[in-house]
Amino acid sequence: MLALRLTRAARLAVQLRRLLVASASAGTGFLLLCALGHALTHPDAPGASSLRLAWCAAPLAATVYLAVAVARADPGTRPRPGLSAIGLGPGRLMAVSATTTALSAALGSVAALLGFLYLRGDLTGAPVDGAVSGVLALGQRLPAPAVVTLLALVPAAASAAVALTLRPRDPRPAPSAGSRRYGRFGAYGWGAARETFGAYGRYGARLASASASAPASASASASASASASASASASASASASASASASASASAQPAGGRAAGAAQADPSGALLTQASDTRPPATTDGDGSAQDATGPVPGTPRSHTTLLPWGIAVLTAGLAVETYAGDTATRDAAPSAGVLLGWALATLGLALAGPGLTHLCGRLLQAVRPGALRLLAGRVLMEESHRVGRPLGVVCAVASAAYAAAALHDADATDFGPLSVIGAVVVAGCTVATLLTAAVEAKHARTDTTDALLRLGAPPTTLRAAAALRAGALLAVFGPLTLVVAQLASLPLAR
């Protein structure tokens, strides 16, 4: 009920994005039903029916990808302070997002079923004649379990992907309880806080107390001889004078400096070295275990170039698989499952390499004495590489596949059927809509930065010029990459 109320009260832009999800789900469901109709019409060709069903994985993946992007950009299901008090914590909002996505996809599946039944003539009594009549299973009864299974595939996959993506995460770094840590040379044991290299030898960097075993030393000094007590009192007076001089020298130095850690004396006469480290001390839990102060801070931006070599490797493997499948296939046969696997690997490789390439675009914009405009555009690209990089890689892969398909059409003069056109429209529309949704989400994420720049006096033309510069840099990098991948993908298919 809460998901229905949030769906009805959403803004127009959110409703349009959910309508896109429903439309993509309708197209994918219609293709799945056509694969079922082909299997019923041609029972003697199970291989061709299985291949049609396998090619439906591309629009299915594109639809799920769009549903996840729309759910992430939905402002009504984002965690806000105070919602947990009324039972709307991160887990509940995640469930609401998954339910809303399932409702949108289910609406599209129902529309696909109605369209399929209309073309079959089950609603009007007159079937539609044309190129799709061979996949409608005219005159045959549709198996209800198969229809329900195929139509429930898109809502189930989309809601599961949304729940997995928006699952609640703990922003704090997980403490490594019970792990042995190693500090300075010779410090072997179960240390609570890890030391960095050179921290022990730095002057005033540690708080070392010689009175760790105060009860034991007190009992031992009580049973000492008179001569030992006399020598101890002499050493205590010497340490007191030394601590007084050290405190005087510490007061003369500026606070917060590295040499500001002066020696102090506790009531028992032991020397204490004051720590001058500017980092906050490690916080302790309720059980007394200290967390690592040098661990990663939540929200710290990290580089996304680590997956770039893996993306290039997966892209190369996909092109190799596609080349092998294109060489072994006949000229007049339809694209085989090997070509589908090669395109899937190429798409995955470009999706993995997309954030790294976007991050490198930002670095290139800031190279060789950049001005304010190039610095702003480069920093924004580096910050948004994890949001727009992966959709850019997927769009690059889809454009490469479209270019390869067009080259194959020009070389062989083959005619694509209506189902192929529907699948291409669904895949291309979902990828472009996902990229636009990610761009809108990135724009909303930097709203505070944009407002701060405007308050500081930055002209709006500068912000628009920075946006145009970012778009030009991305086009200059991803455009040639798309052409190269398309040429390599179309070579084995055109022979």
Side-chain angles (χ1 to χ4, degrees):
M1 187 60 66
L2 179 61
L4 289 175
R5 290 182 178 180
L6 290 177
T7 301
R8 186 182 60 181
R11 294 181 297 179
L12 181 60
V14 179
Q15 299 288 3
L16 289 178
R17 288 196 290 263
R18 291 171 180 171
L19 184 60
L20 286 177
V21 174
S23 302
S25 176
T28 305
F30 183 77
L31 292 176
L32 291 172
L33 292 178
C34 288
L36 175 62
H38 185 274
L40 294 176
T41 307
H42 305 85
D44 54 344
S49 302
S50 301
L51 184 60
R52 285 176 175 268
L53 186 61
W55 275 98
C56 292
L60 175 62
T63 303
V64 171
Y65 194 44
L66 175 62
V68 171
V70 170
R72 289 185 58 181
D74 191 358
T77 55
R78 292 177 183 174
R80 293 182 179 88
L83 290 181
S84 299
I86 58 175
L88 292 178
R92 182 71 180 277
L93 291 178
M94 179 268 296
V96 170
S97 298
T99 305
T100 305
T101 304
L103 290 176
S104 302
L107 179 62
S109 298
V110 172
L113 178 60
L114 293 178
F116 189 76
L117 294 179
Y118 175 80
L119 293 178
R120 277 173 49 91
D122 295 339
L123 300 180
T124 60
V128 177
D129 296 333
V132 296
S133 59
V135 295
L136 296 178
L138 300 177
Q140 299 185 18
R141 183 179 179 182
L142 294 176
V147 172
V148 172
T149 301
L150 292 178
L151 291 180
L153 186 60
V154 179
S159 59
V162 168
L164 182 63
T165 304
L166 302 182
R167 67 186 185 276
R169 296 181 178 89
D170 190 3
R172 298 172 300 178
S176 55
S179 60
R180 186 180 296 273
R181 296 179 178 178
Y182 300 90
R184 65 186 185 277
F185 179 77
Y188 178 83
W190 301 87
R194 186 175 54 191
E195 295 177 342
T196 57
F197 179 76
Y200 179 74
R202 189 185 308 130
Y203 176 75
R206 293 183 57 85
L207 182 63
S209 175
S211 59
S213 57
S217 61
S219 61
S221 60
S223 60
S225 60
S227 59
S229 62
S231 61
S233 60
S235 62
S237 60
S239 62
S241 60
S243 63
S245 60
S247 60
S249 62
S251 61
Q253 294 177 353
R258 179 168 294 184
Q264 298 178 359
D266 59 354
S268 62
L271 290 178
L272 297 179
T273 304
Q274 183 180 0
S276 63
D277 198 355
T278 57
R279 293 180 301 176
T283 59
T284 56
D285 298 331
D287 54 354
S289 61
Q291 295 181 355
D292 188 8
T294 61
V297 181
T300 303
R302 57 185 179 90
S303 177
H304 295 273
T305 58
T306 54
L307 292 179
L308 183 58
W310 293 100
I312 296 175
V314 175
L315 173 61
T316 306
L319 293 177
V321 170
E322 185 180 350
T323 302
Y324 177 77
D327 290 339
T328 56
T330 60
R331 187 176 181 85
D332 298 332
S336 60
V339 176
L340 174 62
L341 179 60
W343 279 353
L345 289 177
T347 304
L348 179 60
L350 288 174
L352 292 177
L357 292 176
T358 308
H359 193 275
L360 290 180
C361 285
R363 285 189 175 274
L364 290 177
L365 280 178
Q366 304 173 70
V368 191
R369 295 184 179 181
L373 183 62
R374 289 170 54 193
L375 275 176
L376 179 61
R379 291 292 182 178
V380 171
L381 270 184
M382 292 174 61
E383 184 69 22
E384 296 176 355
S385 60
H386 65 287
R387 285 191 178 95
V388 300
R390 190 163 295 139
L392 268 175
V394 176
V395 169
C396 177
V398 172
S400 303
Y403 183 87
L408 179 63
H409 173 72
D410 295 339
D412 297 344
T414 56
D415 188 15
F416 297 105
L419 297 182
S420 300
V421 174
I422 292 176
V425 169
V426 169
V427 172
C430 287
T431 51
V432 173
T434 302
L435 178 59
L436 295 179
T437 304
V440 171
E441 182 185 3
K443 181 181 178 181
H444 290 166
R446 65 173 186 271
T447 302
D448 298 337
T449 304
T450 304
D451 295 341
L453 289 175
L454 292 176
R455 287 195 301 268
L456 289 175
T461 55
T462 303
L463 302 180
R464 289 193 291 266
L469 186 58
R470 292 195 303 269
L474 292 176
L475 185 61
V477 172
F478 283 91
L481 177 63
T482 302
L483 294 178
V484 169
V485 174
Q487 288 288 346
L488 294 177
S490 61
L491 284 178
L493 298 178
R495 288 182 296 183

